Amino acid sequence: MTLHTRTPLGASTLALTLFAAVATASTALPAPAQAAGEVNVYSFRQPKLIQPLLKAFTEQTGIKVNFIFAKKGLIERVKAEGRNTPADVLLTADIATVTQAVAEGIVQPVNSDVLTKRIPASLRAADNNWFGITRRARIVYASKERVKQDKITYEELADPKWRGKICTRSGQHVYNVALFASMVAHMGEEKAKAWLAGLKANLARKPSGNDRAQVKGVYAGECDLAIGNTYYMGKMQTNTKQPEQKAWAKSVKVLFPNAEGRGTHVNISGMALTKHGPNRDNAIKLMEFLTSQAAQKLYASTNFEYPVVAGVDVDPRVKSWGTLKPDPITLDAIAKLRKRASQMVDEINYNAGPSS
């Protein structure tokens, strides 16, 4: 089934258009014959990543899950729906989206001993307005053929020895902004801006494409290093629809920056409880279920990510890439510096490319 939605009085034409567009992207899961209520999920994460978990939740609890997916616009939708929103849980693909939801005032804290016990403080909001579900590391993909070293730091990416040898996606993409914000946290604003300018000078080309496109650039010889998230390695290695990506993955090795120092920058997929959802108790049950050992293992292995709960085994494929030592800085701290990091990207005209 799809969600029964209502548009609040006074909603703008844009909100109405967005509302209709997102509705066409909805996906729902079947419920058992005797359901113990329902819970409504708005998700920025694709259905194929989430549905196995939601199906397991329904089988365990009898609670039906109604699921809507969209790449963009869900926060605006919940805000437009106001007190009439059917959304109970918001699932996000990164720290930026979940903190935006907080800033827009559409979520509320969850006082759950289960969640606070299972999820480390560095991977949840200090006020429990959001919680991490999985982790991914922002690492360096290095050419096996042209890069002999097996260690690297983020700071080294600004070294002139890499001039014309680094590929990245847009500096304003949320994954890069979070990384840059972590550099501000560690280096201070002035040094971080100089570092970012050095990284720009070392770019092989104008930033474009997604993380996989950067690895393709290494494979094609356009660059020797690429910045990307760890899980893209798994996606490329197992891609049967686009088998050429297996060759891209085979051409690179994973380097975990600052592995011998502070550790590698990590981001999260996250979840939050909406402020006006109608099924609060069932929503909290779902959030707690997503941090269970079984759900964590399934979720992390499905998308080649790292669990947030201690004691859950990393998928063997992910483990084969090396050992992740996470940077201990809290994502709350990074979130507070994202705006300044984004401004720095524009101030140095990062997206214009190396020769600008």
Side-chain angles (χ1 to χ4, degrees):
M1 61 173 286
T2 57
L3 294 176
H4 297 290
T5 54
R6 292 174 286 173
T7 305
L9 294 176
S12 66
T13 302
L14 175 62
L16 289 170
T17 302
L18 173 66
F19 193 92
V22 176
T24 63
S26 63
T27 308
L29 295 178
Q34 295 180 337
E38 64 182 8
V39 61
N40 304 319
V41 175
Y42 283 11
S43 175
F44 287 92
R45 305 220 74 184
Q46 297 178 5
K48 65 181 180 180
L49 302 178
I50 304 300
Q51 286 183 334
L53 291 163
L54 302 186
K55 180 179 179 181
F57 173 72
T58 297
E59 291 173 349
Q60 179 174 309
T61 65
I63 298 170
K64 180 171 64 172
V65 181
N66 300 310
F67 179 84
I68 284 181
F69 160 75
K71 291 183 178 180
K72 298 180 180 179
L74 292 177
I75 291 175
E76 292 83 355
R77 176 174 180 168
V78 175
K79 189 174 183 180
E81 291 167 343
R83 292 183 177 275
N84 294 322
T85 185
D88 297 303
V89 176
L90 186 69
L91 299 181
T92 74
D94 58 85
I95 184 64
T97 312
V98 74
T99 53
Q100 181 189 351
V102 174
E104 294 291 346
I106 64 171
V107 300
Q108 62 178 308
V110 177
N111 296 316
S112 164
D113 290 340
V114 172
L115 294 177
T116 55
K117 181 178 179 180
R118 290 175 177 172
I119 302 176
S122 62
L123 300 176
R124 53 182 163 86
D127 57 6
N128 294 333
N129 262 309
W130 56 263
F131 299 84
I133 312 176
T134 59
R135 299 174 295 158
R136 72 287 300 269
R138 196 86 179 137
I139 51 87
V140 170
Y141 290 101
S143 169
K144 289 179 179 177
E145 178 183 349
R146 299 182 299 278
V147 178
K148 303 306 178 184
Q149 66 189 65
D150 293 318
K151 301 175 185 178
I152 202 165
T153 64
Y154 294 117
E155 288 81 358
E156 186 186 330
L157 297 178
D159 190 316
K161 76 177 185 179
W162 297 114
R163 192 61 48 89
K165 296 182 179 181
I166 300 177
C167 288
T168 78
R169 70 196 302 166
S170 168
Q172 288 293 4
H173 190 275
V174 292
Y175 298 158
N176 280 338
V177 171
L179 170 61
F180 301 160
S182 77
M183 298 301 287
V184 176
H186 287 295
M187 304 176 74
E189 185 176 321
E190 184 177 349
K191 289 183 178 179
K193 187 173 180 180
W195 169 83
L196 188 59
L199 172 60
K200 176 193 173 185
N202 287 344
L203 295 178
R205 63 190 186 190
K206 182 178 179 178
S208 64
N210 57 22
D211 280 7
R212 275 184 261 202
Q214 313 317 313
V215 179
K216 181 183 179 182
V218 177
Y219 168 78
E222 298 175 15
C223 44
D224 291 349
L225 304 178
I227 298 175
N229 283 349
T230 40
Y231 59 83
Y232 286 106
M233 176 62 93
K235 288 178 176 293
M236 291 183 292
Q237 288 177 333
T238 59
N239 195 326
T240 56
K241 293 183 178 180
Q242 296 174 296
E244 67 274 13
Q245 292 189 10
K246 294 182 179 181
W248 305 353
K250 193 174 182 180
S251 73
V252 297
K253 54 187 174 182
V254 170
L255 303 184
F256 290 92
N258 301 80
E260 295 186 345
R262 66 175 179 267
T264 302
H265 168 68
V266 296
N267 206 324
I268 58 161
S269 65
M271 60 182 173
L273 178 70
T274 64
K275 184 174 289 186
H276 300 299
N279 304 293
R280 186 178 187 278
D281 290 344
N282 286 347
I284 294 175
K285 288 179 182 178
L286 174 60
M287 294 173 74
E288 291 176 344
F289 173 82
L290 291 176
T291 64
S292 65
Q293 294 269 328
Q296 281 281 294
K297 186 173 183 179
L298 176 61
Y299 198 5
S301 62
T302 298
N303 201 36
F304 307 110
E305 294 182 301
Y306 295 88
V308 297
V309 175
V312 180
D313 292 336
V314 175
D315 184 83
R317 184 180 296 276
V318 176
K319 190 174 183 179
S320 72
W321 304 333
T323 301
L324 170 64
K325 177 185 177 182
D327 184 342
I329 190 171
T330 68
L331 287 172
D332 248 353
I334 290 174
K336 292 175 183 177
L337 294 169
R338 288 189 69 262
K339 181 178 180 180
R340 182 61 194 128
S342 176
Q343 291 171 340
M344 287 165 45
V345 170
D346 287 341
E347 287 169 3
I348 68 166
N349 205 15
Y350 183 92
N351 284 344
S355 60
S356 58

